Amino acid sequence: PAPAPGCAVGEHVPCPGSGMMCGGAQCCPGLDNGPSFPCPSAPAGFAGCAVPTKVFDCVSPQKPTQMPAPETTAPPVQTTNAAAEVLPATTVIVSTVPPMPPTEMPAPVLPSEPPVASTVPPVPPTETPAPVLPTQAPVESTLPPVTTTAAPTPAPAPGCAVGEHVPCPGSGMMCGGAQCCPGLDNGPSFPCPSAPAGFAGCAVPTKVFDCVAPPEPTGTPAPETTALPLQTTNAPA
């Protein structure tokens, strides 16, 4: 089975071939016990599986909606049978008066005045000294340093069953059974904590955390013991 096209990134969809559920940056088990490949709803560029190419990609861009073209109606063509009107011819009158040449007016000449010299002496610039501020001693802080602690990495509780839906160590992504978890710090993928023994469909065949508890040993019953009856004797007075 394969998911229908048009899913969103990170959507919970079945893996092609096995039908295992996955979502986003997770790996699907390989076909015919082959190498693992990315989930159909994994984001673009995810390469945390043994094979970086998807077998089926259900993440498709939205198709643009096309607006219907508006209907245009052409106006009706009206035909007239009227004959073309004949306009009377006009006569052209030619002027016999010669054109007047353009006349140029001379620009008026203004009397020049002598420049007036200033009798005010220039004022020298004055500089104001910058104020001297008193120096302050540095203030030492009496507050203790703040220490930050990193948040604990989520890990499933011990004692899970094979194929149980548990969180992946480091990323917290949910997985179950024969699936791969995304690598720590963009490293290679590793098996799910609830994967069966011998599953090697991921980039690293060893589990980071194994929550599948071994079967409890059957104890042998304790042997039955029978108590001996007590004998009482009557001593002489």
Side-chain angles (χ1 to χ4, degrees):
C7 66
V9 175
E11 187 174 344
H12 214 51
V13 295
C15 289
S18 64
M20 299 291 294
M21 299 302 292
C22 65
Q26 287 187 343
C27 300
C28 289
L31 302 177
D32 298 331
N33 294 326
S36 60
F37 53 89
C39 181
S41 64
F46 173 67
C49 305
V51 176
T53 308
K54 294 182 182 180
V55 173
F56 181 79
D57 191 356
C58 66
V59 179
S60 60
Q62 297 182 355
K63 297 182 179 180
T65 58
Q66 297 181 356
M67 297 296 294
E71 298 182 357
T72 57
T73 57
V77 179
Q78 297 180 358
T79 58
T80 57
N81 295 326
E85 297 181 356
V86 179
L87 299 178
T90 57
T91 58
V92 179
I93 300 175
V94 179
S95 176
T96 57
V97 179
M100 297 292 293
T103 57
E104 295 181 0
M105 297 294 293
V109 180
L110 301 177
S112 60
E113 298 181 356
V116 178
S118 176
T119 58
V120 179
V123 179
T126 57
E127 296 181 359
T128 56
V132 179
L133 300 177
T135 58
Q136 296 179 356
V139 180
E140 296 182 358
S141 176
T142 58
L143 299 176
V146 178
T147 59
T148 58
T149 58
T153 302
C160 66
V162 174
E164 187 175 344
H165 214 50
V166 294
C168 289
S171 63
M173 299 290 293
M174 299 302 291
C175 65
Q179 287 187 341
C180 300
C181 289
L184 303 176
D185 299 330
N186 295 326
S189 60
F190 53 88
C192 181
S194 65
F199 173 66
C202 304
V204 175
T206 308
K207 293 182 181 181
V208 173
F209 180 80
D210 192 355
C211 67
V212 179
E216 297 181 357
T218 58
T220 57
E224 296 181 357
T225 58
T226 57
L228 298 176
L230 299 176
Q231 297 180 1
T232 59
T233 57
N234 295 325

